[in-house]
Amino acid sequence: MTFEALGLNTSILKALTDAGYTAPTPVQQQAVPAAIAGKDLLVSSQTGSGKTAAFMLPSLHRLASIEPAAAGKTPNQEMQAARARGERPRFKAAQPKMLVLTPTRELALQVTTNTDKYSVNLRRIKAVSILGGMPYPKQMQLLAKNPEILVATPGRLIDHMESGKIDFSQLEILVLDEADRMLDMGFIDDIEKIVAATPEGRQTMLFSATLDGVVGNMARRITKDPQIIQIMSAANKHENITQRVHFVDDLSHKNRLLDHLLRDETMAQAVVFTATKRDADTIADRLNIAGFSAAALHGDMHQGARNRTLDSLRRGQVKVLVATDVAARGIDVPTITHVFNYDLPKFPEDYVHRIGRTGRAGRNGLAISLVNHAEGMHVKRIERFTKQMIPVNVIEGFEPKKTSFPPRSSRPGGWKPGDNRGGNKPGQRSFSKPGGAPRRDGVTGSNEGYKGPGFKANNPYNSDRPRRSYGDR
Ligand code: AMP
């Protein structure tokens, strides 16, 4: 199928050709014609599937068909006209036609960048990002231009709505991108408030890794007779990403193995995921000392520093990005060849998002989890979630002293018959947690096996996952 067959206007088609897109991805093939026809959409597809274009191309097509006269004056022009009439200019709220809500700043910036690419020949249509961490005066300047498209994280958007800077009465299209993540991050009340401020007659498109549970309930509440699109593409299943588990005995073993794997000649750029912000900094420092060009990325960094780090990654100056989950969401750098789970993620969904940082834009990728023996159960949960077995790999010279635990069967997340489901077998090592938090700075310690709170436990003080009251404002 071609983009022409989807019914997009010629300005958009030209931009797609210039961007090097030759054919629509499966989610685009299904979503674009339905969205051009004005249907509400519920789409289950993940990052990497081409979902941004799936909602943005038909939206641009629709927005481009609105007559310029109907678009009205910008708040800046209104104020100038008032001054010319000798009146005191009153601030007029921005009236966007389209709103895209995203869980993180990085994803919002990514969506805006892609939108700029797709709308390059549609001079009248502008997209701006409204994000937590960005200075208010800068955002006021952006809003004063009355952009057609706002791409925003929920917290900061609510601030502007409540102070009367944005008026959604003219909104035509609402997109919730990675809706499951927004709910995970505690944005449900903000989303409900934003949706309630938009016209009933709007078109709504919701994208989410899953359409089950809470997300499904919300999706059905805010859409009308939606078309449901479920994409199980290779990118969704990450078939282009080779996954591996390497068992390690302790932190020293883990650090040596990481250094060795990072020196692999097939490694162009890597993302190393850690559980905490502090570890991201510590490991980035250690890798720099070891001669890698590494940088940390986490939620404690100012937005400017985060953007600079991502730019350096895109330009290839940073070879190894050491990141926490939230900060790394939405990173779309096709030259990332490797993803390392230095720490396993707390939630299996995060594993899927993490490994999706590699194998982008049709390339292959390698995702390696460095797992201590006590974390075998966590691997099992991930395998159950992804319905894929992750093979265990051993590198000569880096063999773990212990054998892997738990015993593995050929079923994803499965167990060999006769394995221990309760208590240790005679002679088997106990995996009780030793005291104290482990050191992550490469110092060999006795804290092997324990890495802070368990897989399920969500320790907000360690995690980069924002708590409700710490929303992305
Ligand atoms: P997304 O799932 O929106 O994060 O997109 C993943 C990557 O695929 C981005 O780098 C897009 O620029 C790229 N992409 C999206 N659609 C296409 C397409 N039809 N052809 C080639 N690349 C695409």
Side-chain angles (χ1 to χ4, degrees):
M1 186 183 269
T2 61
F3 279 109
E4 284 79 2
L6 299 181
L8 291 163
N9 84 31
T10 47
S11 303
I12 299 174
L13 291 175
K14 180 166 182 327
L16 292 173
T17 309
D18 292 346
Y21 292 12
T22 48
T25 65
V27 68
Q28 292 160 6
Q29 287 176 25
Q30 293 194 47
V32 172
I36 287 180
K39 295 264 324 160
D40 280 5
L41 302 182
L42 297 185
V43 185
S44 134
S45 81
Q46 278 161 354
T47 171
S49 59
K51 67 182 171 58
T52 312
F55 62 74
M56 199 43 88
L57 300 179
S59 303
L60 289 170
H61 178 92
R62 287 193 60 197
L63 295 178
S65 67
I66 298 173
E67 284 298 310
K73 285 197 176 89
T74 68
N76 268 351
Q77 289 165 338
E78 294 266 2
M79 286 201 274
Q80 278 164 11
R83 277 195 204 99
R85 290 194 301 270
E87 294 166 12
R88 202 166 152 207
R90 278 193 309 127
F91 181 85
K92 187 165 177 282
Q95 294 186 317
K97 298 267 185 302
M98 177 180 187
L99 170 65
V100 183
L101 287 176
T102 72
T104 64
R105 304 166 199 181
E106 278 73 20
L107 183 58
L109 290 171
Q110 195 67 57
V111 170
T112 311
T113 307
N114 280 339
T115 306
D116 291 345
K117 190 157 66 181
Y118 307 144
S119 65
V120 66
N121 303 317
L122 305 170
R123 303 242 173 268
R124 198 165 43 77
I125 296 179
K126 291 276 166 288
V128 305
S129 314
I130 297 296
L131 311 170
M134 200 191 252
Y136 273 90
K138 167 101 178 119
Q139 295 196 337
M140 298 305 300
Q141 278 172 11
L142 293 174
L143 289 175
K145 293 186 179 145
N146 203 22
E148 284 73 18
I149 303 171
L150 291 188
V151 186
T153 49
R156 180 58 69 91
L157 189 70
I158 292 270
D159 288 350
H160 286 299
M161 276 169 59
E162 287 176 348
S163 60
K165 306 289 187 306
I166 302 175
D167 161 16
F168 284 125
S169 62
Q170 304 303 309
L171 196 88
E172 306 212 359
I173 305 167
L174 172 67
V175 176
L176 277 72
D177 195 7
E178 298 198 0
D180 52 329
R181 294 296 301 168
M182 285 197 278
L183 297 192
D184 262 5
M185 291 167 71
F187 285 133
I188 186 136
D189 293 342
D190 288 348
I191 292 173
E192 301 269 3
K193 214 183 246 182
I194 293 164
V195 172
T198 64
E200 277 280 304
R202 65 174 190 267
Q203 178 182 29
T204 309
M205 295 183 251
L206 180 143
F207 286 71
S208 174
T210 168
L211 295 175
D212 301 331
V214 189
V215 135
N217 291 340
M218 186 187 72
R220 275 175 279 281
R221 263 203 323 279
I222 65 170
T223 53
K224 284 192 211 76
D225 185 24
Q227 179 154 332
I228 296 170
I229 299 174
Q230 289 190 304
I231 302 291
M232 283 307 291
S233 64
N236 269 102
K237 289 185 265 174
H238 290 316
E239 279 169 358
N240 55 333
I241 300 170
T242 305
Q243 301 173 56
R244 284 197 223 147
V245 161
H246 285 263
F247 279 95
V248 294
D249 294 321
D250 53 32
L251 283 174
S252 162
H253 187 189
K254 189 185 273 195
N255 286 325
R256 280 189 294 114
L257 185 54
L258 177 65
D259 289 12
H260 173 80
L261 293 165
L262 285 173
R263 288 185 205 285
D264 189 295
E265 59 188 22
T266 63
M267 205 293 286
Q269 276 179 300
V271 183
V272 176
F273 282 96
T274 64
T276 72
K277 302 167 191 174
R278 205 181 55 186
D279 285 345
D281 282 332
T282 312
I283 292 165
D285 287 348
R286 190 185 68 71
L287 290 174
N288 272 313
I289 291 167
F292 297 100
S293 162
L297 186 79
H298 57 67
D300 273 357
M301 293 162 60
H302 290 299
Q303 191 61 41
R306 284 160 76 162
N307 292 347
R308 280 194 296 279
T309 302
L310 285 173
D311 279 347
S312 304
L313 182 75
R314 277 188 208 104
R315 285 200 300 269
Q317 291 156 340
V318 166
K319 298 282 182 222
V320 185
L321 185 76
V322 190
T324 54
D325 283 300
V326 167
R329 282 187 82 83
I331 292 178
D332 180 19
V333 180
T335 41
I336 293 171
T337 48
H338 288 55
V339 165
F340 292 93
N341 288 312
Y342 187 88
D343 296 305
L344 284 177
K346 289 194 183 76
F347 302 100
E349 302 92 285
D350 288 334
Y351 176 86
V352 177
H353 280 287
R354 283 182 180 191
I355 71 170
R357 295 311 103 211
T358 182
R360 297 185 74 80
R363 303 182 192 205
N364 293 327
L366 181 59
I368 297 179
S369 298
L370 304 175
V371 174
N372 65 46
H373 301 276
E375 293 175 312
M377 288 293 283
H378 302 178
V379 175
K380 190 180 134 180
R381 271 192 208 110
I382 290 167
E383 290 183 333
R384 272 213 203 110
F385 180 79
T386 60
K387 299 188 174 61
Q388 282 174 337
M389 181 86 181
I390 311 175
V392 176
N393 206 287
V394 177
I395 291 183
E396 205 182 326
F398 294 89
E399 298 85 352
K401 292 194 188 75
K402 299 166 219 159
T403 53
S404 73
F405 175 87
R408 299 163 63 80
S409 77
S410 56
R411 215 153 41 85
W415 291 72
K416 273 185 184 162
D419 60 1
N420 73 324
R421 279 166 193 264
N424 294 333
K425 289 176 189 161
Q428 192 170 22
R429 193 191 154 87
S430 155
F431 291 91
S432 60
K433 81 181 191 193
R439 293 184 65 155
R440 299 309 179 89
D441 49 8
V443 177
T444 314
S446 58
N447 286 324
E448 66 187 58
Y450 177 57
K451 56 179 263 317
F455 192 69
K456 263 196 163 162
N458 185 3
N459 180 343
Y461 300 100
N462 279 341
S463 160
D464 198 36
R465 182 181 291 271
R467 285 175 290 160
R468 177 66 196 90
S469 55
Y470 283 61
D472 197 2
R473 280 170 204 255

